[in-house]
Amino acid sequence: MQQDVAAQLQQIFTNCENCEAHGYSVSIQGKTMQDYLRFMLLKFFVYLGSSNGNISADEIAYINDALGYMMSAEQIDRFNVSSKITKYSLKDSVITLMMPFLKLDLETSPMGGMSLALIEFLNQAGLDFMTLDGGKPDPFVMRDLSALILTLRNFRMEYITNWEAMVREQQRREAMKNRPNFPNGGNSPWGGPPQGNPNFNTPQNPTIRPITPPKPQQQKENAPQFASVQPTNPDADLTLDEQLEKLNELTGLESVKQDLNSLINLIKVRKMREERGMPQSAISLHMAFLGNPGTGKTTVARILAGIYKSLGVLEKGQLVEVDRSGLVSGYVGQTAIKTKEVIDSAMGGVLFIDEAYALTSGTGKGDFGQEAVNTLLKEMEDHRDDFIVIVAGYSDLMEEFLDSNPGLRSRFNKIITFQDYMPDELLDIFKSICTKSGMQMTEEAEDCVREFFVERCGMNLKTFANARDIRNFYERAITNQANRLAKLDKVTNAALTTLTIDDVKDVELN
């Protein structure tokens, strides 16, 4: 471990003692903050080391030296397997440790202090760990580290912002308490402002009693309410035929279209029976979308919301899209409130939960994902006809999610699988993007793009993102075109709207 990083770590250990001296600590019986810090850092380093293969001997030596352990390769491997470390459980572990730092910071230095020092240490230690052999960090592991650091910084700033808003509200209430009480209401002893002095009601020197930062229990009780997610679906008012046309015009997704058209036919026939007073059994319209990123899950969910409105199943047809961060709060007891507000915004429409498996991936104490799931299941039961829930994510992880709670599998009994796009389908999507942007390709460029995606599909990359890769490819291609055209003295309209082989042949995606 580099000397400056080692010094940072020693300061973090000291900060742990400082927090405990002020009454702030992690709520794990028998564990000091320093114990939990070592446990969290072990998860942190093991996650980074195992992300690109087996943990090397140098990495094991680094871990033992930094944390004061004497762990063997077998012990490290057993810890990795038993802990089932994911980016979500790692993030939750870091936040658990950061909370005492953050709470003490709010008494002393909200914009600096110990919580920020922890985040900066993790960033530096992660980079130090990934470059032990002197080479460049693995780009995928580097991406995960950067995402973790960004998430922690955002969480910290959101927590501080909420706390400051709560303090300002306390100050306002204290000021109102200290205003004199005059007859007939208002602030004037005569019951209203004297003529010629419209500003009389404004107190000139309001007395505000000094307040101390709220203790943890006060923060839990007075935590600010969460703003509802804003629903979207500009096409919700289209007719049924227009919605079906949008669905069937989507590139590929043949099995998805077949499943949804069958479901739509079922709903139509049920409506006929209902109108004729015939008995019918209840069906659940909640569903799970399984598939890799960029396979059109969100797009289909938005179209489906409009279809349900046109069929009279839903009142509004809006789509509310969230992930774990939109449902789970860092406050104890606040996740249910946050989840309920999101559900309220989805009433009359569809609640689409992307990467839903993240709600049940955290198994450690203090994880609030399960609270969100429990709240969701209760609201689905209490308002079964008022909104529809679609959960989505990777196929294998979503299967684990559905099996994590007996109520999930029974409520999401309609499962639709989104297959990866084939190379020709990806090319069609790329050509569609070009057309919508007023661009065209030369024949050479089109052949090059097709070859690129044939190779891309055959590589079975974990980072393959289907239609998202298409958009990224297009953005890089038009950047190459801009660099090429900038060197020309005269640029024609045709040149501005044409991608050539030079624009696409050297495009690379991560």
Side-chain angles (χ1 to χ4, degrees), residues 1 41-42 45-50 52-80 128-130 132-133:
M1 178 176 283
L41 289 177
L42 179 59
F45 290 129
V46 169
Y47 177 79
L48 293 180
S50 60
N52 59 352
N54 294 326
I55 301 177
S56 68
D58 287 343
E59 289 172 335
I60 294 174
Y62 186 102
I63 293 171
N64 286 331
D65 179 58
L67 306 182
Y69 292 149
M70 296 182 63
M71 299 182 72
S72 64
E74 291 102 10
Q75 289 173 317
I76 292 280
D77 186 59
R78 283 200 301 270
F79 174 82
N80 187 24
D128 188 27
F129 185 77
M130 289 189 294
L132 283 176
D133 58 0

Side-chain angles (χ1 to χ4, degrees), residues 270-497:
R270 283 176 55 82
K271 296 291 286 187
M272 293 180 193
R273 292 193 183 117
E274 181 181 346
E275 290 169 357
R276 300 178 189 185
M278 297 179 179
Q280 53 192 343
S281 59
I283 62 170
S284 173
L285 296 178
H286 306 298
M287 57 186 67
F289 285 0
L290 278 55
N292 291 327
T295 48
K297 296 187 291 295
T298 307
T299 300
V300 170
R302 185 174 291 109
I303 294 173
L304 194 57
I307 289 174
Y308 282 157
K309 182 189 177 184
S310 63
L311 288 171
V313 175
L314 294 174
E315 180 182 356
K316 300 177 182 177
Q318 81 277 23
L319 180 79
V320 176
E321 182 182 358
V322 295
D323 56 13
R324 175 189 165 95
S325 64
L327 300 173
V328 177
S329 170
Y331 293 103
V332 174
Q334 291 297 309
T335 289
I337 298 173
K338 190 173 184 179
T339 301
K340 180 66 167 59
E341 289 191 354
V342 171
I343 292 172
D344 288 344
S345 70
M347 287 297 169
V350 170
L351 174 59
F352 182 81
I353 306 176
D354 198 14
E355 296 184 345
Y357 50 81
L359 292 172
T360 56
S361 63
T363 57
K365 184 176 180 180
D367 180 77
F368 304 130
Q370 190 59 52
E371 184 181 354
V373 171
N374 294 339
T375 303
L376 179 67
L377 291 175
K378 182 178 185 302
E379 293 298 314
M380 289 170 66
E381 180 65 26
D382 294 346
H383 301 279
R384 62 179 64 188
D385 298 324
D386 298 327
F387 77 117
I388 289 171
V389 182
I390 298 176
V391 292
Y394 292 101
S395 298
D396 52 347
L397 294 175
M398 286 302 297
E399 291 289 352
E400 294 179 9
F401 167 74
L402 294 173
D403 289 334
S404 67
N405 185 310
L408 288 172
R409 180 71 71 174
S410 61
R411 284 176 175 81
F412 297 102
N413 55 8
K414 183 64 176 176
I415 296 177
I416 296 180
T417 301
F418 288 66
Q419 300 293 339
D420 286 340
Y421 288 107
M422 300 301 291
D424 284 343
E425 294 171 340
L426 294 174
L427 178 62
D428 288 342
I429 295 172
F430 184 80
K431 291 165 69 174
S432 174
I433 293 175
C434 288
T435 301
K436 291 177 181 177
S437 304
M439 302 291 290
Q440 60 183 346
M441 288 185 288
T442 65
E443 290 186 10
E444 284 184 321
E446 183 173 331
D447 290 340
C448 181
V449 174
R450 179 185 288 106
E451 290 176 7
F452 178 90
F453 284 107
V454 167
E455 181 180 356
R456 186 85 171 166
C457 290
M459 293 171 68
N460 295 321
L461 296 173
K462 291 182 178 180
T463 55
F464 180 59
N466 288 281
R468 295 180 194 173
D469 273 6
I470 298 294
R471 289 189 288 271
N472 293 335
F473 188 99
Y474 176 77
E475 290 173 2
R476 285 165 173 76
I478 60 173
T479 299
N480 290 343
Q481 183 210 41
N483 292 333
R484 175 174 59 82
L485 296 179
K487 299 175 184 178
L488 302 179
D489 295 330
K490 184 177 180 180
V491 180
T492 65
N493 290 343
L496 285 170
T497 57

Side-chain angles (χ1 to χ4, degrees), residues 202-218:
T202 304
Q204 301 300 311
N205 295 295
T207 303
I208 303 178
R209 290 201 300 266
I211 65 171
T212 57
K215 294 297 182 183
Q217 186 61 35
Q218 290 176 294

